[in-house]
Amino acid sequence: MTTAAPIAQQTVELSPSYTLPIVLVVGAIPLLLVQVWLSSIVALFGLFLLFQTATIRLKFTETALEVYRSDKIIRSFPYREWQNWRIFWPGVPILFYFKEVKSIHFLPMLFDPKMLQICLEQRCPKI
């Protein structure tokens, strides 16, 4: 009899979510009527996040959260160094925060928030 490995022992790659960047780009359009420069800044930030969404991937492994650009790992965050994490505004998630022993990280929500929550709860439960 074969049993499936628990999800905490599998590597899980989060799917991209283009919601936040698209909302920013579309939201910049009505701002044109109010402030052109503010609209430009919001639109450029949305386009930057759109590019990041297309190129950055998060993978939850057995021991760490790994950040990839294309197929190249750019950063690894071992769970044993995590002290806390939080998803801001769970109803409309826009920001993911986690604190390590020596640093604090804020990431815009550019990936599937439900799967992120599941992976976080399994791999590093809140203190």
Side-chain angles (χ1 to χ4, degrees):
M1 182 170 150
T2 306
T3 58
I7 196 168
Q9 294 178 352
Q10 299 173 353
T11 297
V12 176
E13 181 176 336
L14 297 181
S15 304
S17 172
Y18 293 91
T19 306
L20 180 60
I22 290 173
V23 166
L24 287 173
V25 171
V26 171
I29 296 169
L31 279 176
L32 279 171
L33 302 172
V34 180
Q35 289 284 340
V36 173
W37 64 271
L38 181 60
S39 174
S40 300
I41 291 171
V42 171
L44 285 172
F45 184 60
L47 290 172
F48 168 74
L49 289 180
L50 196 61
F51 174 75
Q52 295 289 39
T53 303
T55 59
I56 301 290
R57 293 291 172 264
L58 294 184
K59 291 185 182 180
F60 283 89
T61 66
E62 260 186 77
T63 59
L65 170 65
E66 297 177 346
V67 181
Y68 287 81
R69 174 167 284 127
S70 300
D71 290 330
K72 182 181 177 190
I73 188 168
I74 56 174
R75 190 79 195 267
S76 180
F77 301 100
Y79 305 130
R80 70 181 181 280
E81 295 179 7
W82 288 40
Q83 293 182 329
N84 195 10
W85 61 267
R86 184 169 179 202
I87 296 175
F88 287 101
W89 299 332
V92 182
I94 61 166
L95 195 63
F96 166 50
Y97 150 86
F98 66 99
K99 182 177 188 238
E100 290 184 293
V101 175
K102 295 182 181 180
S103 59
I104 296 173
H105 306 279
F106 290 93
L107 301 171
M109 196 58 68
L110 304 177
F111 24 79
D112 179 10
K114 290 178 183 163
M115 194 63 187
L116 172 66
Q117 179 90 28
I118 291 168
C119 289
L120 288 169
E121 288 172 352
Q122 291 176 340
R123 288 168 169 82
C124 33
K126 285 187 178 183
I127 298 172

